[in-house]
Amino acid sequence: MLVTLLLTPLIAAALMALVRPRAWLEFIHALAAVGGLAVGLIVAVRVWRGDVPAAIGGLLRADGLSALMVVVITLLGAIAALYGLGYIRAEYDDTHLTRVRSFFGLFHLFLFTMLLAVTTDNLGIMWVAIEGTTLATAFLVNLHNTPRSLEAAYKYLILSSVGIALAFIGTALLYYAGASRAGEIAVNWTSLRAAASSLNPQVVRLAFAFILVGYGTKAGLAPMHTWLPDAHSEAPAPISALMSGVLLNVGLYALMRFKTIADIAVGANFAGPWFVGIGLLSLAVAAVFLVRQRNYKRMLAYSSVEHVGIICMGLGFGGYWGVLGALLHVINHALSKSLLFLLSGNILLKYQTTDIRRVRGLLRASPLTAGAFLTGILALIGLPPFGLFMSEFLIFRAGLESGPVWVVVLGITLLVVVFAGMLSSVNQMLYGAPFEKVEHGDVLRWSLAPIVVNFTLLLVLGLTLPHAVTEALEAALRVLGVTHA
Amino acid sequence: MFTILFPRLVTLLSFAMLGTAFLLIVRRDLAGQVRIFAMQSVVLAILAAAVAAFTKSVELTSVALVLVLLKVFIIPRVLNRAVMKIGLQRAALPYLGTPATLVVCGGLVVIAFYVMAPVAASNPLPTAEAIPIAFAGVLIGFFVMVNRRRALTQILGFLMLENSIFLLALLATYGVPFIVEMGVFLDVLVAVLIMEVFIYRIKENFDSIEVDRLGRLKG
């Protein structure tokens, strides 16, 4: 089943290069995305029933944490793919078939690399796959081939590649720590975790520093976040949705895995404070740029830096509720951010600009988009009854229990700043009279249908915590070595 | 005999790699820089082959062969094609002049020895002594990327950094598993090909390959 999960997007990407007519390209695209979701859910359900599927001699392995990530990737992959059908049709007519083809092909290659990263047990292959995500998306960021998108893509490629090169040093050092202490050891996460208590703490500390900077770059943590606002704002909307909503989580996923090993090898008090500190810094940097943001796509991108920071703080506070809140926040942020980026595609098609000052009267011009955008923003800044309120509450409550109080106070103050900054930006877009040249009506009405799923799930997670979700989260918590107090 | 000489040979070759890194800093023309990178890759391949002979590892021998193919032939050819196409043979425009750069890189070597001392000390392998040298190569690769304005030189800095990381893994663990190494090679090749396309596009869009011109995205 794991092999099928990985082959679905890979075969789809290969077919895109072979098939000629546009209708076929679109058909394969939709089929592969929805089929991938089905396979992903089957894999996840098997894991939640207590099975640990493995394939290719243990190279591929899915545990509770993998299952959670697989569901997030395939679900949001399918939603972005379905929106992408309409979006790409609106952007490129049949004279630009090469670009349409490369969009669809790279889209599935991107999904493949992310899925490989979260389902492999081999930390080296995970590294290769995460570097692969950068390579698959570099051309997607530069799909429009404008000077701005070119700059964004070049910066993204160079900074991410260099950052992740550091993570490779960390991985190699950890592999050596394992090999020298525990005899012959594979570079597998499971065997490293089993041998973690006998690893040389000094080497693990050094390795962890490299890994935190390396995968932290990929996760968009400050101060390594500088590529993020550029890349996320220049990419086409469906890709922005996946990069912000899903790809950052893959970087976080790698950090969670290594933190688990470091916690055992060095002691629980080592990695936690680093996570809290770097999370708080990300939150502060994002708040500064969100106060007077003039570009709505960059606004959403900086908000991703903010939320990744919050998740990191949750992981750093630790304990059952802190980590549970962090995982829940991963899901909530993925759901809300991807829907907002998809809507930003609608606004861009309508107004042909990403400048907030040149978007006026969105409520009157396209009421459906505007309503959904406003609701999404309210969910994103953490208002009840949406899921982000719950997860942020859990994280800061865990902070009060474990950490110094000033960290929590500072964190909440920064959240209030973000709240005010984003609301005032969105208000500028929503009200007033639309410009003369803007026609009335929503673009891509039906392409927006999939985001109903996002809203429904956000509401469900905000109002209740269904038993199935708790079970799934607890399966992931067990992998991270966290148990109920 | 070989057992006694082996650690010295490894250290010597590692120093040779570091030497080529310093040559890249001094060298100004792009074609010459590409040749230096190819030279460094040859030294690295010899080192990998020596370790392979010492450990009698078939996997590592094949890794060394792929390394020669990729980093001595394919990648330098791709880069040379780019140099020809953009027709730029002039100076590589560093921010800092050569003397200052050499001082900084000397400092980086000292830092590398300081940071990697615990790793080298706790490692039982005979190759461990050279680990700080490999890390010095990583730091210098970084510095080249930051200090040079030309996109192509940045790519060379990245490749040198990659070479040094390979060396580090080789010294610390006798190389990572075969399948991982092949994956890394694939990533590096694809990355270089993408960077090549970006160089052409930057040249078309900005009529220059100076990264300085890329400064429109702010805030």
Side-chain angles (χ1 to χ4, degrees), chain A residues 14 55 61 102 116 145 156 252 258:
Chain A
R61 180 177 174 279
S102 50
L116 177 62
N145 200 12
Y156 170 51
L252 282 172
F258 283 105

Side-chain angles (χ1 to χ4, degrees), chain B residues 142 160 165:
Chain B
F142 263 119
M160 270 182 37
I165 291 176

